């Protein structure tokens, strides 16, 4: 399964290197038509470097499963790469109420199949996927129109094999006569892509700060790519096992991509980039400006190293976390 196999003796064991270039990891493990899920949360620890590379390479027709999403999914939607989007919320929090390319696709172009669940139900669905459950009974969404308004009809669902046949089903609670529960489908993920602070060469990962749904999707997905700020030795990653979040057997590819989550933040390493988010909010108002943005920041940039060169050292250095603050102490926040 690996394009590069190195056996390295360390701590008395034999370890397999899963380190790959970003290009090779996306080419090998991201396929058109995949059920795809990203880690992170709106403007936190989003795998933007991987999103840019997917756009460059051309994979498409994804079934997207997402907790609270941001510009990562918005870019893929704007580029026409998402066939169906199962979501609860999408915004670059603090900069857009609802991401503009997503909104345009739903309200004007009508070219995006969209199913809306509540945020708690989406998170529980992804957890259920990690447990291998056939479906998930919940009491959530009762009393709201999310139960009765389906974004993707049963007829359309039957034409897309990777979508469940129904959004949900009200069923009797077998343990309490006269009570119903809502049964929701459990995603079957093909590929998960997650940004992490540290990863070892064989794929053990350390996530600092909130883990969101990332551990669940790492366990649930058939293929997992991690984008790491740092790659460390097996000896280093094993010094404090309590800090490790994702085990190596869940991970297929490890990519070393410093600032790979930019413009989102990576807790304890760098803050989000307000100027970039403001620029993105502006250029996504029209098709023409969005296409120019993609051409300039994605297509014309050969790879992640080229992206960092375009950003420039002075810009990214201002985003670095100041020890003890866990954010960029000199970064001017909105309203200050």
């Amino acid at each position: 399964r690996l394009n590069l196999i190195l056996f390295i003796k360390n701590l008395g064991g034999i370890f397999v290197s899963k380190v790959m270039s970003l290009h090779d990891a996306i080419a090998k493990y991201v396929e058109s038509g995949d059920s795809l899920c990203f880690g992170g949360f709106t403007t936190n620890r989003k795998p933007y470097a991987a999103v840019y590379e997917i756009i460059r390479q051309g994979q498409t027709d994804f079934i997207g499963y997402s907790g609270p999403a941001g510009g990562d999914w918005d870019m893929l939607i704007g580029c026409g790469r998402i066939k169906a989007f199962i979501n609860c919320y999408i915004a670059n929090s603090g900069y857009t109420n609802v991401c503009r390319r997503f909104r345009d696709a739903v309200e004007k172009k009508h070219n995006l199949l969209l199913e809306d669940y509540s945020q708690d139900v989406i998170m529980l669905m992804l957890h259920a996927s990690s447990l291998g459950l056939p479906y998930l009974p919940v009491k959530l969404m009762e009393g709201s129109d999310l139960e009765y308004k389906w974004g993707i009809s049963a007829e359309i669902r039957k034409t897309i094999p990777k979508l469940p046949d129904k959004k949900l089903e009200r069923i009797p609670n077998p343990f309490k006569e006269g009570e119903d529960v809502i049964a929701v489908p459990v995603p079957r993920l093909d590929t998960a892509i997650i940004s992490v602070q540290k990863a070892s060469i064989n794929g053990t990962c350390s996530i600092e700060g909130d883990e969101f749904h990332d551990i669940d999707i790492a366990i649930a997905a058939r293929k997992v790519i991690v984008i790491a700020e740092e790659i460390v030795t097996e000896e280093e990653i094993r010094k404090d096992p309590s800090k490790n979040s994702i085990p190596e057997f869940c991970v297929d590819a490890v990519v070393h991509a410093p600032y790979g989550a930019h413009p989102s933040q990576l807790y304890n390493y760098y803050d989000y980039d307000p100027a970039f988010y403001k620029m993105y909010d502006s250029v996504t108002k029209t098709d023409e400006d969005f296409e120019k943005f993609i051409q300039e920041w994605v297509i014309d940039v050969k790879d992640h190293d080229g992206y960092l060169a375009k950003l420039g050292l002075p810009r990214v250095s201002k985003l670095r976390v100041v020890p003890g603050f866990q954010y960029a102490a000199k970064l001017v926040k909105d309203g200050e």
Side-chain angles (χ1 to χ4, degrees):
R1 297 172 63 194
L2 305 174
N3 73 333
L4 175 63
I5 300 181
L6 297 174
F7 293 97
I8 300 176
K9 285 193 172 183
N10 192 2
L11 296 177
I14 295 178
F15 302 99
V16 179
S17 175
K18 299 176 182 178
V19 178
M20 304 175 69
S21 70
L22 179 59
H23 175 277
D24 290 351
I26 298 301
K28 185 175 181 67
Y29 293 114
V30 179
E31 303 169 80
S32 291
D34 273 355
S35 293
L36 182 64
C37 191
F38 297 143
F41 187 104
T42 60
T43 59
N44 298 275
R45 211 164 35 75
K46 302 299 283 182
Y48 274 97
V51 172
Y52 297 149
E53 188 60 31
I54 290 170
I55 294 172
R56 292 186 195 106
Q57 292 191 18
Q59 293 93 327
T60 191
D61 288 337
F62 297 115
I63 308 298
Y65 284 91
S66 174
D72 51 342
W73 285 104
D74 194 56
M75 287 185 197
L76 288 178
I77 290 168
C79 290
R81 305 297 178 85
I82 308 300
K83 187 170 189 175
F85 193 43
I86 292 81
N87 180 239
C88 59
Y89 172 83
I90 177 170
N92 288 325
S93 300
Y95 299 98
T96 54
N97 292 326
V98 176
C99 283
R100 296 183 185 277
R101 292 295 89 198
F102 162 83
R103 186 165 187 165
D104 186 77
V106 173
E107 292 185 347
K108 298 178 182 178
K109 297 186 177 69
H110 307 290
N111 62 353
L112 178 68
L113 295 173
L114 171 67
E115 196 59 82
D116 186 18
Y117 292 89
S118 67
Q119 179 174 319
D120 40 18
V121 168
I122 280 282
M123 293 302 200
L124 289 172
M125 287 165 63
L126 293 172
H127 181 58
S129 185
S130 74
L131 299 175
L133 299 180
Y135 64 88
L136 178 70
V138 298
K139 294 292 288 181
L140 304 160
M141 298 195 304
E142 287 186 328
S144 77
D145 63 1
L146 288 175
E147 179 180 357
Y148 306 105
K149 291 183 179 180
W150 290 22
I152 308 175
S153 69
E155 290 75 19
I156 292 177
R157 288 170 173 273
K158 292 183 185 300
T159 68
I160 304 175
K162 289 194 175 183
L163 282 179
D165 290 340
K166 298 179 180 180
K167 176 181 180 179
L168 51 83
E169 179 81 8
R170 182 173 281 273
I171 61 174
N173 181 350
F175 303 104
K176 188 171 183 180
E177 187 175 353
E179 180 181 77
D180 288 346
V181 295
I182 294 176
V184 294
V186 173
R188 300 293 176 233
L189 301 179
D190 293 311
T191 305
I193 307 179
I194 303 166
S195 285
V196 303
Q197 281 86 352
K198 293 178 183 177
S200 71
I201 62 168
N202 78 331
T204 302
C205 298
S206 172
I207 296 175
E208 300 176 29
D210 202 322
E211 294 166 338
F212 307 116
H213 56 288
D214 295 23
I215 297 173
D216 286 332
I217 66 174
I219 296 171
R222 292 192 300 110
K223 303 168 290 181
V224 176
I225 300 169
V226 296
I227 309 296
E229 184 72 13
E230 292 187 70
I231 295 180
V232 299
T233 64
E234 291 301 321
E235 182 179 12
E236 179 67 23
I237 205 81
R238 289 165 178 256
K239 283 181 178 178
D240 188 350
S242 66
K243 292 183 179 180
N244 295 332
S245 309
I246 299 173
E248 58 86 16
F249 55 78
C250 290
V251 176
D252 294 278
V254 176
V255 175
H256 183 216
Y259 290 96
H262 179 274
S264 68
Q265 61 186 195
L266 190 73
Y267 177 78
N268 220 20
Y269 281 77
Y270 52 87
D271 219 324
Y272 57 77
D273 188 334
F276 197 98
Y277 276 127
K278 290 175 182 178
M279 179 266 289
Y280 185 78
D281 178 57
S282 177
V283 300
T284 51
K285 292 180 180 179
T286 67
D287 292 346
E288 295 76 17
D289 285 344
F290 176 71
E291 290 169 4
K292 290 177 183 177
F293 166 83
I294 292 296
Q295 187 68 41
E296 178 183 357
W297 283 94
V298 182
I299 304 303
D300 289 344
V301 178
K302 181 182 178 181
D303 53 23
H304 184 60
D305 287 342
Y307 176 80
L308 293 182
K310 182 174 176 61
L311 285 172
L313 180 60
R315 179 171 187 163
V316 296
S317 65
K318 292 179 181 178
L319 306 176
R320 293 299 295 182
V321 161
V322 175
F325 285 92
Q326 279 68 55
Y327 64 92
K330 294 183 179 180
L331 185 68
V332 176
K333 304 287 185 176
D334 288 345
E336 292 184 356

